[in-house]
Amino acid sequence: MEMRPLRLTPGQDLRRALECIVFAEGFSAAFVVAGIGSLDKAHLRRAGAEEVDVLEGKLELLTLSGSIAANGAHLHAAIATASGEVVGGHLAYGCKVRTTAEVLLGLLPEWSFMREPDLGTGYAELSIRPRQPGS
């Protein structure tokens, strides 16, 4: 595993930036080991919900973790509002960095992750395979 510390800057979309960094460097398997920072806007989907909740204002990213596959990420976050309320869920696109996001990525060059339909759960779940030579 190759560890990569990152700092994302104001205005970046947190999820999209992480996916782009992983893919631009030629990886198809990565984990977000840790992440903290601040956001202006957070888009979270709570457990079992279909809709995404939007939080706005001065938000603190308390934790961030998950996996990044060749066809998308599965990231969870805990976020605190300015009043101290903590909410968490699946991180969706549209989370805008306010001042900084400090993230530690674990890149897995010998592995390939893909999200594929799982008949048991009804969701696209993580499929893990050794990376094929030349891919």
Side-chain angles (χ1 to χ4, degrees), residues 25-69:
E25 295 198 20
F27 292 91
S28 62
F31 275 94
V32 174
V33 178
I36 59 170
S38 65
L39 303 171
D40 281 326
K41 185 183 283 189
H43 291 223
L44 295 174
R45 185 180 57 78
R46 297 182 195 196
E50 295 294 322
E51 299 297 317
V52 171
D53 292 332
V54 178
L55 303 168
E56 295 188 73
K58 293 181 178 179
L59 307 168
E60 290 294 330
L61 177 62
L62 303 176
T63 64
L64 177 66
S65 63
S67 59
I68 302 175

Side-chain angles (χ1 to χ4, degrees), residues 14-34:
L14 182 58
R15 179 175 169 174
R16 193 168 311 282
L18 293 173
E19 288 174 344
C20 287
I21 289 165
V22 171
F23 304 145
E25 295 198 20
F27 292 91
S28 62
F31 275 94
V32 174
V33 178

